[in-house]
Structure formats: C-alpha cells, structure tokens
Amino acid sequence: ELESEINIITLIVSKVTKTVYEKLNITFENGQQWRQKDSKRLRLAAGDKVILSKGALGSVYLKKEGTNKTINVKRLK
C-alpha cells in the first residue's frame, strides 16, 4: 500500500529577521514560522516565493524560487 504524502510546498515570505547567531527566522503569509538550522547564507525578503521540501530523516529544506541554494530549516509555529 502506497501512502500519498506532501513532499513539496510553495509559500510566500511575509517577514524575515535574524537571530543573534545570524540564523534566519522566516514568517510566511499563512502564519507559519520557521528557523534556519545550518550556517549557509540565503538572501530572503518579504514577498519572495520559496519552496519547502522534505529531506532524509525528517529534515526540511527551504529553497528560494529561481535559485539552487537550499538551507535546512525547522518549524517553530
């Protein structure tokens, strides 16, 4: 039996802030809040379209539409 799971979702950024450790806090238009887990750099601004995709072992990756850079994120709210 194959389960159908959602592996990719597209969202629009509402607000981006940085933590003390230069990690991104990203708020989306639907109210979800996510925080960057790795130390890669990705330039995000309000209004950007991003793609969230599932990785191995429960990890989630965020990719800005039109680029190849990805960052590892976790959901806060």
Side-chain angles (χ1 to χ4, degrees):
E1 207 177 287
L2 295 173
E3 289 186 48
S4 61
E5 286 189 29
I6 298 173
N7 291 324
I8 295 175
I9 186 168
T10 304
L11 297 168
I12 297 173
V13 176
S14 169
K15 183 171 119 181
V16 179
T17 57
K18 281 190 178 180
T19 65
V20 178
Y21 301 106
E22 296 291 315
K23 309 260 183 187
L24 297 176
N25 280 336
I26 305 150
T27 305
F28 295 109
E29 287 185 344
N30 64 359
Q32 290 184 13
Q33 293 180 349
W34 293 72
R35 176 174 291 151
Q36 179 180 4
K37 289 174 66 177
D38 57 14
S39 59
K40 295 180 184 175
R41 298 223 178 253
L42 182 66
R43 212 175 267 190
L44 284 177
D48 286 346
K49 274 189 171 183
V50 297
I51 299 166
L52 290 175
S53 58
K54 285 187 179 180
L57 301 174
S59 62
V60 179
Y61 293 98
L62 182 143
K63 175 183 171 182
K64 186 175 174 182
E65 204 169 69
T67 64
N68 285 331
K69 266 188 164 181
T70 60
I71 59 172
N72 194 354
V73 293
K74 73 174 182 177
R75 186 169 178 180
L76 298 176
K77 188 171 162 190

